[in-house]
Amino acid sequence: MNPPKGFLIGSFLLWLILLALSQSLHADYDGRIPFGYTMADSDDSWGFTVVQNGSGGAIRGWCDSTNSKETSAGVWGYGFSCPGVYGFGMASYGVQGHSAESIGVRGTTDADSYGVAGESTTGGVGVGGYAETGTGVYGKSEGEGLTGVWGLNSNSKGGFGVYGMAVNGAGVFGAGGQYGVFGLSHSLDHAAGYFENDAQGYGVYAETNSPQSATRPALAGLNRGSGHGLQGQSKQGTGVAGKGLTRGVHGVATSTKTKGTGVYGSASGTAGVGIEGSCNKGKGIQGTTVTGAGVYGVATEKGWAGKFQGYKDASGVLITTNGGPGLIVSGGSKSAVVPTSQGSRLLYAEEATEVYFTDYGSGRLTDGKAVIPVDPLFAETVNLGQPYHVFVQSYSDAQLVVSRRSPREFEVRLHARDTEGDRNAEFSYRLVAKRKGFEQARLEESPSADNADKRMDAAVPGVSEMQAFLSGSESADVFDAPPPPQPSSRLRQNALSWPSIGTGK
């Protein structure tokens, strides 16, 4: 049934009257003429409302202007202290924008407010952006302490303030002179940023173009309290993995008053490994110190403070010094483990009050005399210019004496009073001489017990002291980020109570 012609004409005249009235009331707003206007002061009053029960949009704006893309718009809204454009969707988008070359939805604010604000209360999306080739959501801020894109979820059961997803590109992309993306969390148990990869890729990937001379890391963590600066956790693999041309993992402890630790590793279980180093031709683990211990191991119960094992043709332990003690055992013994028919047994090393080297050999008298040359290679290791010891043992009925010693040889004779002894007796000897360079060492004070422990417990060497041992600028490796940008006062005050932008009625 068609409406009467008079009703249509009356409706049209009423619309013209309302249009003229709104123009007269707001003709001074830059020549813009609002389509609807309300004088009500209630929160749920609207200037113009369109209801669409189909699948299309309630309002559609189209702009094909050839003017500047910054000023042309398909739909334009202006509000003093309320939204210029407000959209509400039951199962779809409240506001949807599409642009071929410019911006689908753009919001601008001149005050301490929001350019574009989206709110969702039933599991939807507050602000959703979609782009096939461009940018889904773009935010820009030029004010100090303001925010280009701000997302907040105040639900106590959790949610997302900003959620981005991409098939091949970046779900969320941020670029800034100081921070590309900044996340703020007020929770004690959660994080300012959360990243998850449900495939086999990276959870977080950081990259920087710093030259080799620079020391800023691609990924840095700073804890202004006493917790960890950077922590990694893996249920089945490696907690923290590092790979680099010079160092895979580098840790620096700068404390000079406490026992700081550069790299700390802890493992549970019967076969766990706290810190493991692996290398094909270099050093698996290297420790360097100025006055303490390069590598220091502690066993609290029945374990080993240090254990070394060589497989196949590999060796166990090699100790090299430039004149200092090579091996000192405090409170224990030095033993060799030897297999027997009753299990492995310990054979103990002989200790002496001075630093001696020993050479063993055998000889035979010829008509009551034998001259034994000193092994020239052994002679290079000891000081034969000082008196040395020769002990002989006869294997027949003969009383032997060492009648002469020189740096090159020594002489063994049948004792003059032994007139009936075997003049061709076989014998063995043991030559003991002082190690070259250690002639004066005798019962020296131990540097390994309390004295050495006190030095290890002393102040940790500063970073500058380590530069002679470690390459690179260690002090610059200590990352100290500049103060993070803080949201404006109003955004901080409303951080846990997002201001309502409409009732949705």
Side-chain angles (χ1 to χ4, degrees):
M1 179 177 177
N2 296 326
K5 183 181 296 184
F7 175 78
L8 295 178
I9 296 176
S11 299
F12 178 72
L13 292 176
L14 179 60
W15 177 81
L16 290 178
I17 294 173
L18 292 175
L19 181 61
L21 178 61
S22 61
Q23 182 176 4
S24 63
L25 290 174
H26 294 273
D28 56 340
Y29 291 156
D30 299 331
R32 300 183 179 92
I33 303 174
F35 190 81
Y37 179 78
T38 179
M39 297 294 293
D41 295 331
S42 61
D43 293 337
D44 58 351
S45 61
W46 299 92
F48 182 67
T49 302
V50 176
V51 179
Q52 166 65 278
N53 294 325
S55 59
I59 297 178
R60 178 178 183 181
W62 181 277
C63 180
D64 194 12
S65 175
T66 58
N67 297 330
S68 172
K69 298 174 183 177
E70 296 293 330
T71 59
S72 60
V75 176
W76 189 89
Y78 183 87
F80 282 105
S81 59
C82 58
V85 175
Y86 174 82
F88 178 81
M90 293 297 295
S92 185
Y93 303 102
V95 175
Q96 177 178 350
H98 176 81
S99 174
E101 297 180 358
S102 185
I103 302 173
V105 176
R106 173 178 177 173
T108 303
T109 177
D110 296 329
D112 191 6
S113 184
Y114 308 95
V116 175
E119 183 180 62
S120 175
T121 58
T122 57
V125 179
V127 176
Y130 173 81
E132 293 183 357
T133 58
T135 303
V137 175
Y138 172 79
K140 178 181 179 182
S141 175
E142 297 180 353
E144 181 179 358
L146 299 182
T147 306
V149 174
W150 173 277
L152 173 70
N153 186 301
S154 58
N155 193 302
S156 60
K157 296 183 179 180
F160 301 95
V162 175
Y163 177 82
M165 182 176 65
V167 177
N168 293 319
V172 175
F173 175 79
Q178 190 177 19
Y179 295 93
V181 176
F182 175 74
L184 177 65
S185 174
H186 295 277
S187 173
L188 297 177
D189 301 323
H190 296 85
Y194 179 81
F195 303 88
E196 181 178 351
N197 188 316
D198 58 0
Q200 297 181 359
Y202 300 99
V204 174
Y205 178 80
E207 182 176 340
T208 181
N209 292 325
S210 299
Q212 187 174 3
S213 59
T215 56
R216 290 306 186 197
L219 180 62
L222 174 65
N223 190 315
R224 301 187 183 276
S226 58
H228 303 298
L230 185 64
Q231 176 177 336
Q233 181 178 353
S234 176
K235 292 184 177 180
Q236 298 180 356
T238 303
V240 175
K243 180 180 180 181
L245 291 177
T246 56
R247 296 182 185 91
V249 176
H250 178 79
V252 176
T254 59
S255 174
T256 58
K257 297 181 180 180
T258 60
K259 300 178 182 179
T261 303
V263 175
Y264 174 79
S266 175
S268 59
T270 57
V273 179
I275 296 179
E276 178 179 352
S278 175
C279 186
N280 289 333
K281 295 183 179 180
K283 305 174 182 65
I285 295 178
Q286 174 176 331
T288 304
T289 184
V290 177
T291 59
V295 177
Y296 184 70
V298 177
T300 58
E301 295 184 5
K302 296 183 179 180
W304 295 91
K307 183 177 180 180
F308 304 87
Q309 183 172 355
Y311 292 98
K312 295 183 179 180
D313 296 332
S315 303
V317 178
L318 172 64
I319 301 175
T320 302
T321 70
N322 291 325
L327 175 63
I328 296 178
V329 179
S330 175
S333 60
K334 297 189 287 292
S335 307
V337 180
V338 181
T340 68
S341 60
Q342 298 182 13
S344 297
R345 291 292 186 266
L346 297 180
L347 296 181
Y348 303 98
E350 182 182 356
E351 309 291 352
T353 59
E354 298 177 271
V355 185
Y356 287 110
F357 283 163
T358 302
D359 187 21
Y360 292 87
S362 61
R364 181 182 292 274
L365 298 180
T366 301
D367 193 20
K369 183 180 71 171
V371 177
I372 305 298
V374 177
D375 186 334
L377 192 59
F378 173 75
E380 296 178 6
T381 66
V382 293
N383 188 348
L384 298 178
Q386 293 190 358
Y388 58 89
H389 307 279
V390 178
F391 306 92
V392 295
Q393 172 64 50
S394 175
Y395 292 116
S396 61
D397 189 7
Q399 185 177 357
L400 305 180
V401 296
V402 178
S403 57
R404 182 174 57 86
R405 291 171 294 168
S406 74
R408 293 188 177 182
E409 60 188 21
F410 62 90
E411 184 180 82
V412 179
R413 285 180 176 270
L414 186 66
H415 197 283
R417 292 193 297 268
D418 188 5
T419 58
E420 298 181 357
D422 185 358
R423 300 185 62 83
N424 297 308
E426 182 184 2
F427 63 90
S428 63
Y429 66 86
R430 177 173 176 253
L431 191 157
V432 182
K434 288 187 177 182
R435 178 179 176 178
K436 186 178 294 184
F438 293 83
E439 294 87 345
Q440 305 302 321
R442 177 179 174 82
L443 294 174
E444 295 179 284
E445 182 181 357
S446 171
S448 64
D450 295 338
N451 296 333
D453 291 339
K454 291 179 181 178
R455 287 203 299 269
M456 291 181 204
D457 294 340
V460 179
V463 173
S464 60
E465 295 177 87
M466 299 295 294
Q467 291 181 349
F469 293 86
L470 302 175
S471 60
S473 177
E474 301 298 328
S475 58
D477 286 342
V478 181
F479 179 77
D480 191 3
Q486 297 296 326
S488 61
S489 58
R490 179 167 180 260
L491 295 183
R492 290 182 62 86
Q493 291 173 1
N494 296 328
L496 295 180
S497 58
W498 182 272
S500 176
I501 59 174
T503 61
K505 296 180 181 180

